[in-house]
Amino acid sequence: MKILDCPIEGLKVIQLDVHGDSRGFFIERFQVKRFSEAGLPHIFLQDNHSRSVAHTLRGLHYQYGPPQGKLVGVARGTVWDVAVDIRPHSPTFGKHHAVELTAENGMLLWIPPGFAHGFCVLGEEPADLLYKVTSVYNAAGEGGIRFDDPELDIPWPVRNALYSPRDQNLQSFAEYKKSPPVWGA
């Protein structure tokens, strides 16, 4: 396992060891001791599985109450996964970082609290996104920012994306900046 720092403080790419042959492959996705020894979060309270059809775009979502970090990976298909720094006092506030995650590349993305998360499905097959989270889901403590916000200027690599009415009607980044949540409230 290799841990790679991203240009935005706190984000990490975890490159897992992929053991493959003509029959397929095996990946150890998570082990408490190895993550702990590497200084990575290792206590997760919920596992989530999201399946999305080709060309789906989801996000940008975050949870502030209680704050939620995510360890994201793909078990099927390919996604372009994006994290946006929404910590108001961060030097990279409003900046994003993206990573291509596939079923075969053995990469995970650690997204700490204080980031909005989104992804789009690349290719023509569905994608299964698996993610562990550091706190349980709380609808009263979640929020979102429009995926196509011009100020964020995220170059989504999918055309004619499928997205939900909810995601289309999220607040702008300018609205978020007027009244950001109190993280941990």
Side-chain angles (χ1 to χ4, degrees):
M1 178 172 83
K2 294 178 191 167
I3 302 155
L4 309 170
D5 290 322
C6 297
I8 299 175
E9 184 180 349
L11 288 177
K12 307 275 186 198
V13 171
I14 298 107
Q15 180 67 58
L16 302 174
D17 296 324
V18 179
H19 307 279
D21 60 26
S22 62
R23 300 167 296 158
F25 64 86
F26 174 83
I27 299 174
E28 182 180 275
R29 296 181 65 83
F30 175 76
Q31 186 196 88
V32 169
K33 184 178 179 189
R34 290 181 74 195
F35 271 62
S36 176
E37 288 173 349
L40 293 168
H42 57 279
I43 299 173
F44 296 98
L45 303 183
Q46 183 174 314
D47 279 2
N48 298 320
H49 181 169
S50 168
R51 175 168 292 158
S52 299
V53 300
H55 311 288
T56 294
L57 194 156
R58 296 184 187 268
L60 300 160
H61 306 141
Y62 58 87
Q63 182 172 304
Y64 59 89
Q68 187 180 77
K70 297 178 181 179
L71 181 64
V72 181
V74 170
R76 175 185 179 194
T78 303
V79 305
W80 195 70
D81 205 75
V82 177
V84 179
D85 187 349
I86 57 171
R87 303 169 294 183
H89 302 292
S90 169
T92 52
F93 181 57
K95 302 296 183 200
H96 71 273
H97 183 72
V99 176
E100 187 172 297
L101 304 174
T102 73
E104 293 82 18
N105 73 6
M107 291 172 55
L108 303 174
L109 180 63
W110 163 244
I111 304 170
F115 285 78
H117 173 244
F119 66 91
C120 64
V121 178
L122 303 177
E124 297 302 320
E125 69 174 277
D128 286 358
L129 195 77
L130 304 177
Y131 53 106
K132 299 174 124 11
V133 295
T134 58
S135 61
V136 297
Y137 173 71
N138 176 24
E142 71 172 342
I145 299 168
R146 282 187 60 103
F147 61 86
D148 59 352
D149 185 276
E151 187 176 351
L152 296 178
D153 195 28
I154 299 170
W156 297 99
V158 64
R159 301 288 173 253
N160 302 314
L162 304 172
Y163 45 82
S164 71
R166 174 184 173 243
D167 286 355
Q168 187 176 22
N169 292 310
L170 292 171
Q171 68 184 329
S172 69
F173 189 54
E175 291 168 318
Y176 173 86
K177 291 190 297 186
K178 288 178 189 173
S179 184
V182 177
W183 290 93

